[in-house]
């Protein structure tokens, strides 16, 4: 299955694993890359040296390409931007901001820069700044989200730019991949389904919560202050929503969620922690290795799209 994205990244299948904060560490990224997709290390708010260590550990597990997600609002973004160059990373996805400032440095190091966008306007701007592709991420996604759905966003972005588009948000099987391709995508980025993979270091309670989730089990917190985050409903989201309705400030609400994703991922606190996951969680019902996930999804997509 060749697309401009598989060619650009040097990967076998058009599947990218989202650079998920606390989740996308070396075991998961290496397993996805080893299985023929592109694994990403999630830079999130980690210091540059932690990201360097993660890259090296992933490299010890696979010779295949791996990428890094750089969260541009991170206090360590500048350091991470340099670390990816020093470590010879060839694909960087960026979130929460404008990567323009690093573009020259990354381009001259031969890095492909792929911003995550939630609107046509941003996709156009990123193409102008020299992005090599964009991830068009719909509101179905787990984590920080925009308002457009994948169904509406992907074709509009595909029409607006000439660089390749990677679809993200709500893709959990071969039907989702086929649909994304029909909308004009040349690859997909998947988060939630990889959270439950055997190689994911996420706490069992978190994985179980995703496996048991129904279609309507996700909630969005933070809309009132323009920082919406999709996670599975629990005591934390109920408390957050109540305070949001009471008109609490962004800072007060931020305080409530400080460190709660880590608490859910590492300690398995699925009551007071933030269980980030997308709307597709309701369809995810089994635990598999990254290889099984990728093979199953690509088998389904290939049959539907007559790729084989
Ligand atoms: C637990 C979790 C954490 C995430 N953290 C990040 C992040 O730090 N940076 C980022 O660009 N995307 C992040 N995302 C979004 C994913 O990279 C991906 O685009 C999204 O999960 C795709 O939608 P899906 O969950 O429906 O597959 C996160 C998603 C999840 C589920």
């Amino acid at each position: 299955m060749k697309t401009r994205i598989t060619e650009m990244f040097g990967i076998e299948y058009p599947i990218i694993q989202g650079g998920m904060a606390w989740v996308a560490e070396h075991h998961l990224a290496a397993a996805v890359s080893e299985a023929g997709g592109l694994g990403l290390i999630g830079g999130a708010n980690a210091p540059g040296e932690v990201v360097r260590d993660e890259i090296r550990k992933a490299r010890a597990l696979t010779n295949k390409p791996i990428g890094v997600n750089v969260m541009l609002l991170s206090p360590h973004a500048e350091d991470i931007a340099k670390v990816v160059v020093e470590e010879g990373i060839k694909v960087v996805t960026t979130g929460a901001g404008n990567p323009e400032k690093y573009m020259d440095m990354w381009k001259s190091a031969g890095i492909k820069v792929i911003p995550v966008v939630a609107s046509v306007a941003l996709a156009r701007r990123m193409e102008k700044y020299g992005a090599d592709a964009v991830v068009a991420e719909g509101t179905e996604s787990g984590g920080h989200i925009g308002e457009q759905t994948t169904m509406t966003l992907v074709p509009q972005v595909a029409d607006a730019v000439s660089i390749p588009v990677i679809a993200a948000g709500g893709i959990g099987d071969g039907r989702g991949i086929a649909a994304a391709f029909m909308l004009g995508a040349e690859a997909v980025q998947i988060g939630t389904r990889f959270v439950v993979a055997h190689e994911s270091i996420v706490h069992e309670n978190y994985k179980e919560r995703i496996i048991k989730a129904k279609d309507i089990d996700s909630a969005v917190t933070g809309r009132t202050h323009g920082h919406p985050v999709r996670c599975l409903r629990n005591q934390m989201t109920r408390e957050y929503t109540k305070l949001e309705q009471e008109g609490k400030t962004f800072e007060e609400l931020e305080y409530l969620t400080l460190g709660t994703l880590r608490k859910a991922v590492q300690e398995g606190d699925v009551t007071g922690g933030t269980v980030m996951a997308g709307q597709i969680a309701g369809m995810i019902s089994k635990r598999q290795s990254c290889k099984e996930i990728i093979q199953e999804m690509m088998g389904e997509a290939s049959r539907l799209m007559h790729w084989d």
Side-chain angles (χ1 to χ4, degrees):
M1 175 65 229
K2 280 191 183 9
T3 72
R4 285 189 289 172
I5 293 293
T6 59
E7 298 287 285
M8 189 188 289
F9 297 174
I11 54 177
E12 198 177 342
Y13 303 116
I15 296 179
I16 293 134
Q17 159 250 312
M20 300 173 276
W22 292 104
V23 175
E25 49 71 78
H26 64 278
H27 294 98
L28 186 63
V32 170
S33 289
E34 196 55 27
L38 182 78
L40 297 183
I41 301 284
N45 283 319
E49 288 313 307
V50 170
V51 175
R52 190 194 303 282
D53 195 43
E54 286 296 322
I55 295 169
R56 291 185 178 175
K57 284 180 174 156
R59 290 241 169 89
L61 297 174
T62 183
N63 293 324
K64 305 256 178 84
I66 55 153
V68 173
N69 175 256
V70 181
M71 218 264 285
L72 296 163
L73 276 182
S74 157
H76 306 290
E78 188 101 33
D79 286 346
I80 298 176
K82 289 186 197 130
V83 165
V84 295
V85 174
E86 288 159 9
E87 294 300 314
I89 287 292
K90 293 294 172 224
V91 182
V92 164
T93 64
T94 63
N98 184 348
E100 196 189 359
K101 163 171 169 201
Y102 306 117
M103 218 44 131
D104 284 347
M105 175 173 70
W106 284 344
K107 288 285 175 162
S108 44
I111 295 177
K112 302 294 180 196
V113 186
I114 328 283
V116 179
V117 302
S119 73
V120 166
L122 194 57
R124 279 212 178 99
R125 218 158 69 223
M126 294 301 143
E127 182 177 45
K128 209 169 87 199
Y129 290 145
D132 296 281
V134 286
V135 176
E137 190 189 66
T139 194
E140 297 93 322
S141 299
H144 292 264
I145 52 168
E147 292 293 348
Q148 290 271 85
T149 61
T150 303
M151 183 76 140
T152 57
L153 181 67
V154 173
Q156 293 187 77
V157 170
D159 283 348
V161 297
S162 52
I163 50 177
V165 177
I166 299 163
I171 300 164
D173 65 6
R175 291 173 298 181
I177 296 177
F181 272 70
M182 296 305 286
L183 296 174
E186 295 184 47
V188 297
Q189 173 165 291
I190 290 174
T192 303
R193 187 160 178 190
F194 282 126
V195 174
V196 304
H198 293 326
E199 296 90 343
S200 147
I201 50 89
V202 169
H203 196 282
E204 277 305 306
N205 295 352
Y206 197 129
K207 292 185 180 177
E208 199 55 23
R209 185 73 185 81
I210 291 180
I211 299 274
K212 295 231 169 91
K214 295 191 295 292
D215 54 347
I216 55 168
D217 278 359
S218 80
V220 177
T221 58
R223 272 215 172 97
T224 47
H225 295 291
H227 298 279
V229 173
R230 185 178 301 284
C231 42
L232 296 180
R233 278 176 222 283
N234 59 7
Q235 186 189 304
M236 195 285 295
T237 62
R238 278 189 291 276
E239 207 172 312
Y240 193 108
T241 309
K242 187 167 156 276
L243 295 175
E244 220 175 343
Q245 282 161 354
E246 286 169 8
K248 292 280 187 271
T249 65
F250 178 61
E251 286 68 30
E252 285 169 301
L253 291 166
E254 272 294 282
Y255 188 71
L256 176 73
T257 58
L258 212 64
T260 52
L261 176 61
R262 190 200 60 76
K263 249 166 76 180
V265 168
Q266 295 192 334
E267 293 165 22
D269 181 359
V270 292
T271 312
T274 298
V275 186
M276 282 187 191
Q279 291 182 330
I280 204 66
M283 203 180 70
I284 295 167
S285 57
K286 55 188 176 196
R287 294 151 188 263
Q288 294 166 299
S289 67
C290 291
K291 185 170 178 190
E292 287 165 343
I293 292 173
I294 290 177
Q295 291 291 332
E296 187 178 291
M297 287 192 298
M298 285 308 299
E300 289 165 359
S302 300
R303 279 189 294 280
L304 290 167
M305 301 291 281
H306 304 291
W307 282 331
D308 40 10

